[in-house]
Amino acid sequence: MSDLKASVVETKNGFHVEGYEKIEYDFTFLDGIFDQQNAQLANCYERWGRCLAIMDKNIYNIYGDQMQKYFDHHGLELKIHQTMIGEKAKSIDTFLSIVDSMTDFGIIRKEPVLVVGGGLVTDVAGFACAAYRRNTNFIRIPTTVIGLIDASVSIKVAVNYGNYKNRLGAYHAPMHTFLDFGFLKTLPEAQVRNGFAELIKISSCAHLRTFDLLDQFCEQLIQTRFGRMGDESGEVRKAADEINRSGIYEMLKLETPNLHEIGLDRVIAYGHTWSPLHELSPDVPLRHGHAISIDMAYSATLANIRGLMSDDEHRRLLNLFSRAGLSMDHELFTEDMLDKATKAILKTRDGKLRAAVPNPLGSCTFLNDVSASDMNEALRRHKEIMKEYPRDGAGLDAFVDASDTGYTLNDIPVEELMNGKATNGAVNGQKTNGINGKTSNGVVNGLKEVMANGYPNGYRN
């Protein structure tokens, strides 16, 4: 929601316009968002008598019936656009498929679209809402750790462009965000681990108390889905609730004065200096949490060399990454990759590196005076240290797999298959020339196999 206050004054050669836009939106912690006795969500749509929901297909398969019964109970018409969005399908094509559903539904000005899913879904659907009639409202229900802790906090929405992460996007605040950590009960452990990296990010640079809790309860938090299952004593749940609330609050305090990123020295950009290029470079993308954890671990080594982090703090941070099963290195994280990623981020950050690093643990500083030789020296040192860790610093479940979406099958984007847009009989599993002149046999059956077993090009986690 916004309230623009503006003035126009004459100048000697023309006019000067000055405007200030008020941005306000709410967060509500609510366990059981689709429980019929919880009317908070229904109240948001009472005026309209209906709702268009953009929903991750995996979430729909688990909660779709409950969601439909919820809206039926409250006398609201519900139409659901199911989507499968992974990094490879965080694209303009997926964006346009959502726009098509908004057009078919006949979204009225000011009517909010409901977006239910992880950070990838809320990013793409939020961008569609930002672009549709230049400003369409939306309500956000994040369902993953990354979605709840990180993507829900920002007003940034975007799609990828080629191998450039979030290259096309906007700043578009939701009307409301409902935070229901009960969704974590059905989240694969690999996805919990993926989001854990975001909590390490914010705590190691801004909130030592949260870092201490992550360090104390690391394995239990991941295994019990932040205390939502198998936590008989309730101890992990209590710690998790403090971690979640504090983590989100710290992120909001840091982001709120800079919602449009006018200031480029951003604490929450720790782990996001070299990772935007590195994340999408492997044939199978790294999960976001693993990409930023590689960046964070390497940045910590750089900070240690600079004397900004003590040896004990440095090892404590690396040990937490390792215990969580997060990546700290990868074979493609090379001097050449550092060089390319540095050149790319300098363009984004107005010519300065602005690399956020802990200094000391629980606080942050920004590095601008890091030469290529400094980076390469730190990388060599980092890779030597990684030899002391399991798997030489490689993570568990580091690449997207069957618990992610957005695959292509025989070069046909899954989003097209799911929306019936594949051509030349591919959806019916016929042998065709398909896209790019390649054959596609049994596409639908093959799609099911991909979703069951993982990426089709040999990567397994």
Side-chain angles (χ1 to χ4, degrees), residues 372-396:
S373 60
D374 291 338
M375 292 182 202
N376 293 339
E377 178 189 352
L379 183 63
R380 290 190 292 270
R381 172 63 179 151
H382 185 69
K383 288 186 178 292
E384 283 298 313
I385 294 172
M386 288 302 100
K387 293 176 182 179
E388 303 172 25
Y389 286 89
R391 304 171 302 278
D392 292 333
L396 300 173

Side-chain angles (χ1 to χ4, degrees), residues 87-88 90-92 159-168 280:
E87 287 295 350
K88 291 291 189 182
K90 192 180 182 183
S91 64
I92 284 293
V159 297
N160 297 335
Y161 173 70
N163 270 356
Y164 297 100
K165 187 171 175 64
N166 297 330
R167 182 54 60 93
L168 306 177
L280 301 184

Side-chain angles (χ1 to χ4, degrees), residues 32-40 42 65-74:
I33 184 70
F34 298 136
D35 289 350
Q36 293 178 10
Q37 69 271 21
N38 291 332
Q40 293 91 326
D65 288 344
Q66 183 185 3
M67 184 176 174
Q68 184 65 61
K69 291 175 182 177
Y70 175 88
F71 278 87
D72 289 345
H73 175 79
H74 291 282

Side-chain angles (χ1 to χ4, degrees), residues 25 62 186 200 236-237 250 258 311 342 377:
Y25 52 104
I62 300 171
T186 54
I200 296 178
V236 180
R237 169 70 178 267
E250 289 302 318
N258 193 32
D311 291 344
T342 300
E377 178 189 352

